[in-house]
Amino acid sequence: MFAPRTTPWPLVALFTAGYLPPYLLPTTVGRLDTSLPLSTTQAGAVGSALLLSSATAGFLLASRVQRVGARTLARFGLALAFLGYGAAALTTAVPAVVAGAVVGGFGSGTAMTVAAARIAAERDPHRASTAGLLSVSALAGAVYLTVPHLGRAHGLPLAAIALTALAVWPLTGRLPGGTADTPAAYGATGLEGADGTGAPLPHRRSGLVLAVTVLCWSLAQNSLWGVSGRIGLTQAGLGDAALGAVFAVALGAGLVGVLAAGALGPRLGRAMPVGAGTVLIAGCIAVSASATTPAAFATGEIAWNTVYPVVLSYLIGLAASLDPRGRWAVLVGSASSLGTAAGPLTGSVLSAQAGYPVMGLVLGAGLLLVAAPMTAVALHTGGRPLLPGAIRRRGGTPAALVAAATGTPSGAVPEVGAVEQPVVEIDVEAPAVAVRGAYGTAGPRQAAAPGSGTG
């Protein structure tokens, strides 16, 4: 009997702490604009600085999770997040707020880096990332419902992020330590190999294309998300409490979307959710940006937030599948954070220069452009038939297919971050001759033509 798959709750909590700042971006930027002597563009620049610091942490620490230890890095990141966001929440001096947001952003990025690397090493990365998205969406929705009733102070959303980091701290004790723990047990995530030597990144071309397109994808999303609060208040005519309710309902719809993504899993592959979902998001962004009534704004935001986490969960799983050691998951996540970081400033500049409707059209067109290469990566890397835990041999036969042919239970084959896909059965006209030569070790036969393997 094999142990049932369990949800890694410490990683889900760490994921939540790392992803909460981008989810609270509209209320954070909006309150910086209205509560401090900052213009809309300046407030957007502060939000961009926060998220840029978060992305920087990912790029700097991607190769150090295994060496330093997930537990140590996670605690370091959570401490920075608590101190940085807490300090920014308690002061009204603009330089101190900016400095605290940048320090807190680096802490959030560190937590996000550890979570992404560890999730990629899980037996089912999609399940873990889906649980994380559910958690952060639920928490952000609760903040949007609560904060408007507590006043207009700029520090309320920042304090919520700081308190979340503090609450997650006790759970880090269940994370692995540094290099004393074996890479086989914890999934090495650095650029060094399991034996301490350099190990090249697999799927380099696909990974680079995915990183660049995800950067642009996140840029478009957060260009609108960063100014959504201003659109709702000034263009759609909502009050502060009504705007918070719309965001809470939208994030609640996102929970439904994430649940649907978790239920579907790999049944539809990744190409269709990524490609078709991005096209739907482009339409939703155009609707939200051009909304002049509360109903139109709510419709666009709710539809957008329903689809967005679905596509995001598949993108996270796609990045994790490129390298079971988690390096592409961290690097693609950091590229996404760069796009997220540039979003508030980009949205503020575009809306100030051309207006919200034109901004929505520009962002939608950009999403349509990146949908094609992202779909191509999903098709190229996720379209091969795999059993659970398939181990692909370059030039040879997948070990899982060998196990299936010999009657070995598929669960007995160890998993290496592969995506579960149905096996394509091919009918053979003549049965194999039972000779001694037919029974050998798994791998390429001497008589096989070059390049005939599945690797």
Side-chain angles (χ1 to χ4, degrees):
M1 295 294 293
F2 297 96
R5 298 184 180 184
T6 58
T7 303
W9 292 114
L11 292 181
V12 171
L14 197 62
F15 184 101
T16 303
Y19 267 83
L20 187 59
Y23 269 71
L24 296 183
L25 193 63
T27 186
T28 301
V29 172
R31 284 168 178 266
L32 291 174
D33 179 15
T34 58
S35 302
L36 297 177
L38 294 171
S39 67
T40 300
T41 302
Q42 290 172 333
V46 175
S48 291
L50 184 160
L51 297 173
L52 180 61
S53 179
S54 180
T56 302
F59 285 115
L60 291 178
L61 302 175
S63 63
R64 293 173 171 83
V65 176
Q66 170 65 20
R67 189 189 324 154
V68 178
R71 185 191 312 122
T72 302
L73 270 184
R75 288 177 172 176
F76 172 72
L78 293 174
L80 285 184
F82 175 72
L83 295 175
Y85 292 124
L90 294 175
T91 182
T92 57
V94 172
V97 171
V98 174
V102 171
V103 171
F106 194 89
S108 296
T110 302
M112 193 184 306
T113 297
V114 176
R118 297 294 308 136
I119 284 174
E122 288 291 312
R123 296 183 62 190
D124 191 346
H126 187 266
R127 177 189 179 93
S129 60
T130 297
L133 289 172
L134 279 172
S135 176
V136 71
S137 297
L139 180 57
V143 172
Y144 277 115
L145 284 176
T146 304
V147 163
H149 301 287
L150 301 178
R152 288 294 306 164
H154 78 282
L156 289 174
L158 296 171
I161 302 171
L163 292 176
T164 300
L166 181 63
V168 172
W169 174 281
L171 299 178
T172 58
R174 298 178 60 184
L175 296 176
T179 53
D181 298 304
T182 61
Y186 298 124
T189 54
L191 296 177
E192 69 278 358
D195 55 357
T197 61
L201 280 168
H203 301 292
R204 285 179 177 268
R205 182 180 302 175
S206 296
L208 288 174
V209 170
L210 184 63
V212 172
T213 52
V214 165
L215 186 154
C216 299
W217 187 85
S218 295
L219 172 65
Q221 310 286 333
N222 287 277
S223 293
L224 177 64
W225 189 237
V227 298
S228 286
R230 304 305 303 169
I231 295 175
L233 292 172
T234 62
Q235 183 173 281
L238 281 83
D240 191 53
L243 180 65
V246 169
F247 285 149
V249 172
L251 291 172
L255 293 177
V256 176
V258 174
L259 287 173
L264 286 174
R267 291 181 181 86
L268 298 178
R270 291 198 183 97
M272 189 175 79
V274 168
T278 299
V279 172
L280 288 175
I281 289 172
C284 294
I285 285 180
V287 171
S288 291
S290 61
T292 56
T293 64
F297 177 77
T299 299
E301 290 289 318
I302 292 171
W304 173 33
N305 281 277
T306 302
V307 181
Y308 164 78
V310 175
V311 180
L312 179 60
S313 69
Y314 282 96
L315 288 174
I316 293 173
L318 178 58
S321 72
L322 295 179
D323 179 20
R325 294 173 61 194
R327 290 169 294 179
W328 275 125
V330 173
L331 294 175
V332 171
S334 299
S336 175
S337 296
L338 280 179
T340 301
L345 183 58
T346 302
S348 298
V349 172
L350 279 176
S351 60
Q353 296 296 322
Y356 295 122
V358 174
M359 178 199 71
L361 292 176
V362 172
L363 297 178
L367 282 174
L368 293 179
L369 289 177
V370 301
M374 285 197 305
T375 305
V377 172
L379 286 171
H380 177 68
T381 61
R384 301 173 183 177
L386 292 173
L387 280 172
I391 303 175
R392 308 197 72 83
R393 296 169 181 254
R394 188 173 299 277
T397 307
L401 296 181
V402 176
T406 57
T408 305
S410 61
V413 185
E415 293 194 353
V416 191
V419 181
E420 297 181 10
Q421 297 284 355
V423 177
V424 179
E425 296 183 1
I426 303 175
D427 295 329
V428 181
E429 295 181 359
V433 180
V435 295
R436 174 66 182 86
Y439 300 91
T441 58
R445 311 255 183 227
Q446 294 297 328
S452 62
T454 57

